[in-house]
Amino acid sequence: MLLHAIDAEPDANAHTVDARERSSTVVLLHGMMGSSESWWRVIPRLTAQGHRVLALDLPGHGQSPRDPNLTIEQAAASVVETVQDLAFGHPVTAIGHSYGASVLAEAAGELHAEVAVYIDASLALVGGQNRSRLTEQYARDRCARSSVEDLRASRPFYSARDAAVEARAAERFDPATMASVSCGNDHEWLPDAGSIVIRADPSSWVTAADVARFERRGIDVRSIPGAAHTVWYSHFDEFIASVPELFGAPSQNSLP
């Protein structure tokens, strides 16, 4: 199953154009009920550093296929297939947010990402859910997120474009596909040492126990005080500064 992707190349006029050959393709995986458009503000910062960017719509999201029998393994296989099709032979780095981070963790063994960044995710999935009940819940959640006005009221840190992008993503979200992922077995992932976890502080998703589990593995946990779950929406500059491996030194990325 190939996924829909936003494929962004470096700006040919950017001062980083000479870095293209040594820069990787950066794969971006959004969270549940998001889409490839969720990264609209992040993508230009990556291309300005000379990276090619592949922002994917995960199954059941955006313009990618629906699958009412989807498993997390199948979602990860779709990511690997798409990346290999679009970036064959090129080094890959990857960023995954929330559910997208779980998909990235499942896909990591096949992606062989040189840098893997997991945003505000416990990297655990509770299975055994009731399919119809969860589908109904996600349908209600979709309705609650499909209004730009309601999103801006509940998330005052959203810009007008943020709210429009997320409302459009909610309209395109398929509850049955996403519910299916939680109907199988429990999952827990522990990425390789050297991976990066970015968390909101405090976080409703990454507990102190999760932090300890990650750090014992040699994972670099970086916290952003006061950030929301979608940390780049609420604390964009802090998020960019937290991953200099991809975005460059903070002084190079400060806004004019």
Side-chain angles (χ1 to χ4, degrees):
M1 179 198 300
L2 287 176
L3 305 178
H4 177 263
I6 293 176
D7 186 350
E9 293 282 357
D11 183 349
N13 297 315
H15 70 89
T16 54
V17 66
D18 291 339
R20 288 191 199 182
E21 291 303 320
R22 58 181 178 275
S23 292
S24 67
T25 296
V26 180
V27 178
L28 301 178
L29 304 180
H30 60 79
M32 187 177 77
M33 219 172 297
S35 76
S36 54
E37 288 187 279
S38 298
W39 305 101
W40 72 268
R41 197 176 175 195
V42 173
I43 290 170
R45 291 299 186 96
L46 289 167
T47 58
Q49 292 295 322
H51 299 292
R52 179 190 181 194
V53 177
L54 295 177
L56 308 187
D57 286 337
L58 293 171
H61 295 77
Q63 300 181 56
S64 283
R66 277 62 179 137
D67 183 354
N69 297 304
L70 186 73
T71 65
I72 191 76
E73 291 86 359
Q74 290 168 339
S78 296
V79 168
V80 172
E81 180 183 8
T82 302
V83 172
Q84 289 179 343
D85 183 67
L86 296 176
F88 181 76
H90 294 277
V92 168
T93 63
I95 303 176
H97 171 239
S98 195
Y99 168 64
S102 296
V103 176
L104 174 57
E106 178 65 33
E110 295 294 327
L111 279 181
H112 305 293
E114 294 186 338
V115 178
V117 181
Y118 302 88
I119 303 175
D120 215 38
S122 65
L123 302 182
L125 176 68
V126 178
Q129 302 296 307
N130 181 285
R131 186 181 299 270
S132 61
R133 187 178 305 143
L134 194 56
T135 301
E136 291 173 1
Q137 177 187 321
Y138 286 160
R140 291 192 297 270
D141 293 344
R142 178 181 62 183
C143 289
R145 288 174 58 98
S146 60
S147 164
V148 170
E149 293 76 16
D150 289 348
L151 279 173
R152 295 205 75 184
S154 62
R155 298 164 174 81
F157 52 87
Y158 272 15
S159 69
R161 183 168 178 181
D162 294 338
V165 161
E166 292 304 314
R168 183 162 51 248
E171 291 174 357
R172 293 173 172 173
F173 169 72
D174 180 51
T177 297
M178 192 64 235
S180 180
V181 172
S182 296
C183 293
N185 297 325
D186 293 348
H187 290 76
E188 185 173 279
W189 298 273
L190 198 57
D192 290 340
S195 300
I196 300 167
V197 169
I198 307 295
R199 65 186 290 269
D201 185 13
S203 172
S204 299
W205 299 85
V206 183
T207 66
D210 292 324
V211 171
R213 176 167 64 96
F214 294 149
E215 290 182 338
R216 283 195 300 269
R217 174 73 165 183
I219 296 167
D220 186 356
V221 180
R222 305 172 185 178
S223 299
I224 300 179
H229 180 49
T230 47
V231 298
W232 69 95
Y233 277 158
S234 68
H235 288 63
F236 181 76
D237 291 337
E238 292 86 347
F239 168 67
I240 295 299
S242 73
V243 197
E245 293 88 347
L246 296 181
F247 296 100
S251 61
Q252 297 173 353
N253 291 298
S254 58
L255 295 176

